[in-house]
Amino acid sequence: MFARTPRLTLRPGWPEDAAALHRAIAHEAVAMKLARLPWPYLPDHAETWLRTAPAPGNHPLLIFAHDLGATPVLVGGIGLHPAEDELEIGYWLTPAAWGRGYATEAGRAVLDMARYALGRERLTAYHHLDNPASGQVLRKLGFRETGRATRHSLARGEDVECLTFELDLVERPVLMAA
């Protein structure tokens, strides 16, 4: 899947993206906010991930910003993946891209993919309690909080307390301004 928004292009990762992916994601501040990212994140991790076909039901996309210069810049990743009996949205941004509204803009595009291209009726999400900015993005996208859970963080090497969310895709949510 591919998507284009006013400032972003979302597309699958290609092997030639390995160096840019490593530069964007290999920050301790990013790794500690994610569940499945190892720390330290090495160039080999990026190369292996980009060479490996996504598991069935996974839809990972890289986020490229067009408003940072003449050439698009890899600023993050977003995707949908199976979680229990649901489809879950997840995302990350490189620290230099935080606070620019990219996660919300990319999230809106991925919600449309889930709704129209994949025919999904519901999505779930979560964020670590110590990452409230991610919760703000989910709320802007129309997700509602459903409770708390613990999730294992590979980078932290321990379980982390999280807030859980869901979004009904059948009724178009009223989205908050970015």
Side-chain angles (χ1 to χ4, degrees):
M1 289 192 288
F2 291 76
R4 175 89 169 142
T5 72
R7 299 182 301 159
L8 306 172
T9 294
L10 283 61
R11 66 161 173 81
W14 300 326
E16 55 268 28
D17 296 322
L21 175 59
H22 181 258
R23 278 192 306 275
I25 200 170
H27 299 273
E28 186 174 13
V30 173
M32 297 304 150
K33 293 176 179 8
L34 301 175
R36 295 183 268 298
L37 192 74
W39 183 253
Y41 191 82
L42 305 173
D44 285 349
H45 290 122
E47 291 170 10
T48 299
W49 185 77
L50 290 167
R51 280 194 317 260
T52 305
N58 281 319
H59 305 281
L61 301 169
L62 295 179
I63 302 169
F64 291 85
H66 295 273
D67 63 341
L68 298 176
T71 305
V73 177
L74 196 158
V75 296
I78 191 164
L80 299 167
H81 58 273
E84 298 174 12
D85 293 333
E86 302 291 338
L87 195 61
E88 184 174 87
I89 189 171
Y91 47 87
W92 62 271
L93 292 174
T94 195
W98 292 352
R100 295 177 181 260
Y102 292 148
T104 304
E105 189 172 328
R108 287 181 177 142
V110 169
L111 293 184
D112 283 344
M113 289 177 184
R115 182 182 287 116
Y116 301 117
L118 300 176
R120 300 305 293 227
E121 295 182 354
R122 185 172 170 305
L123 291 179
T124 62
Y126 74 93
H127 72 82
H128 297 165
L129 280 181
D130 59 3
N131 183 14
S134 189
Q136 291 173 338
V137 169
L138 292 170
R139 287 179 184 90
K140 285 178 187 177
L141 293 173
F143 281 81
R144 67 176 185 81
E145 190 177 324
T146 57
R148 290 182 180 224
T150 57
R151 297 282 181 102
H152 187 75
S153 167
L154 184 59
R156 296 183 193 199
E158 64 185 14
D159 289 344
V160 178
E161 193 165 357
C162 302
L163 290 178
T164 59
F165 293 80
E166 68 179 20
L167 175 64
D168 180 354
L169 293 172
V170 175
E171 289 189 31
R172 184 116 180 139
V174 177
L175 300 175
M176 296 172 39

